[in-house]
Amino acid sequence: MLIIGAGKMGKLVIKHLVAKGCTQMVVVNRSEERVTAIREDIPGVEISYRSLDEMLASAAEADVVFTSTASEAPLFLKEHVETLPPACPEIGGVRLFVDISVPRNVGSCVNEVETAQVYNVDDLKEVVAANKEDRLRKAMEAQTIIAEESNQFEAWRDSLETVPTIKKLRAYAERIRMAELEKCMSKMGDDINKKTTRAVDDLSRGIVNRFLHGPMQHLRCDGSDSRTLSETLENMHALNRMYGLEKDILEEKLKAMTSGQQK
């Protein structure tokens, strides 16, 4: 990596390269003092100083060249770059010039050299604009996902109000099942085998589960269907009235409150 210019922009380039993992670079500048100051400000990075007279020789050794000087005249023209040896074969032998100077430090004619590619401020603005548009699109996608997940969470949280009814309805159905099962078993006598007993028990469970399936589905509001929370709560109140579950639920809540106060 070669950075030409150790001013404010040059220092920002160096910091950015270091943040991306670059730990070795050459800085060409008019004076060594600024390079020394940058080196002290960014420890743990090998920053070598070269004078302006060594600029072309330094460029010949670099695969990527950043320019950020206040020079009014271009530092690199076609005739300068075409004499340089090709860049590293691993990157296709093409030397990359990133010119962030205004006015430009690298002439547009350098792009005519087969072994060179130039990016200037205008090119970087296009990249920034494209990245900004991409980030904006992803942010909008993220907002949509967040809204969907938030709605599902709120629906799940609100649906917790139906949990006591679900439990009490199951308990109510189980009491009926057990009572009817005992009546059935007593009528069948004591000489029935375990297999028959298990079959009758399984049958009674299956009937209860099939019976409860519909009410249970209408007591859930997790956002997976078109059912609204108000509909779910209406179903809950209807079941509480039909099976007299409200009294049991209220008693449980009072017990829980009393227990909490005692603790």
Side-chain angles (χ1 to χ4, degrees):
M1 292 288 179
L2 173 63
I3 299 92
I4 301 175
K8 182 179 179 180
M9 294 302 296
K11 186 175 181 180
L12 287 174
V13 169
I14 293 171
K15 286 186 174 181
H16 180 75
L17 292 174
V18 171
K20 294 298 181 180
C22 182
T23 59
Q24 187 176 12
M25 61 194 78
V26 175
V27 179
V28 170
N29 196 56
R30 190 182 304 278
S31 64
E32 189 175 1
E33 286 77 9
R34 285 190 176 182
V35 180
T36 301
I38 293 173
R39 190 186 294 121
E40 293 174 352
D41 190 42
I42 310 175
V45 180
E46 185 180 338
I47 302 176
S48 304
Y49 166 75
R50 302 279 179 84
S51 66
L52 286 175
D53 294 335
E54 301 173 276
M55 183 180 68
L56 285 177
S58 300
E61 299 172 357
D63 295 326
V64 182
V65 180
F66 292 88
T67 60
S68 60
T69 77
S71 174
E72 295 292 333
L75 302 179
F76 291 96
L77 295 172
K78 179 180 178 181
E79 55 266 30
H80 301 135
V81 177
E82 62 186 1
T83 61
L84 299 177
C88 181
E90 283 78 1
I91 60 171
V94 177
R95 182 171 286 102
L96 181 63
F97 289 85
V98 183
D99 185 5
I100 59 175
S101 307
V102 178
R104 297 177 183 177
N105 286 170
V106 182
S108 57
C109 56
V110 172
N111 270 323
E112 298 175 10
V113 181
E114 291 185 0
T115 57
Q117 178 68 50
V118 181
Y119 291 98
N120 55 41
V121 173
D122 293 334
D123 297 320
L124 296 178
K125 284 181 180 178
E126 292 180 6
V127 173
V128 170
N131 289 340
K132 185 177 180 180
E133 184 179 348
D134 183 57
R135 288 197 300 271
L136 179 61
R137 185 180 68 257
K138 289 180 178 177
M140 294 177 65
E141 292 174 356
Q143 288 177 349
T144 301
I145 294 172
I146 291 171
E148 292 175 353
E149 292 296 328
S150 178
N151 290 337
Q152 289 184 7
F153 173 77
E154 289 177 2
W156 169 81
R157 181 196 60 194
D158 293 337
S159 70
L160 293 179
E161 188 174 345
T162 66
V163 170
T165 297
I166 291 174
K167 290 181 177 179
K168 286 299 177 183
L169 184 58
R170 281 195 173 278
Y172 176 79
E174 180 63 14
R175 287 198 300 272
I176 294 176
R177 186 187 76 83
M178 290 300 298
E180 296 302 317
L181 181 63
E182 288 180 7
K183 290 181 184 178
C184 176
M185 299 304 292
S186 63
K187 290 179 180 179
M188 296 177 69
D190 298 331
D191 58 342
I192 59 174
N193 56 42
K194 291 183 179 180
K195 184 177 180 181
T196 303
T197 302
R198 190 180 306 111
V200 174
D201 183 75
D202 290 343
L203 175 64
S204 66
R205 290 181 187 277
I207 293 172
V208 169
N209 288 336
R210 290 292 296 273
F211 171 76
L212 290 178
H213 178 73
M216 293 302 177
Q217 287 294 104
H218 286 77
L219 287 177
R220 291 187 172 90
C221 180
D222 56 5
S224 60
D225 53 30
S226 59
R227 191 178 303 113
T228 63
L229 177 63
S230 60
E231 289 178 288
T232 303
L233 295 180
E234 286 177 10
N235 295 334
M236 178 190 75
H237 293 311
L239 287 169
N240 285 339
R241 289 193 300 271
M242 283 188 287
Y243 295 104
L245 305 176
E246 290 178 330
K247 181 180 178 182
D248 291 340
I249 294 173
L250 181 60
E251 288 179 354
E252 277 200 0
K253 288 183 178 179
L254 290 173
K255 287 180 181 178
M257 291 174 62
T258 303
S259 177
Q261 291 174 354
Q262 291 176 348
K263 290 180 179 179

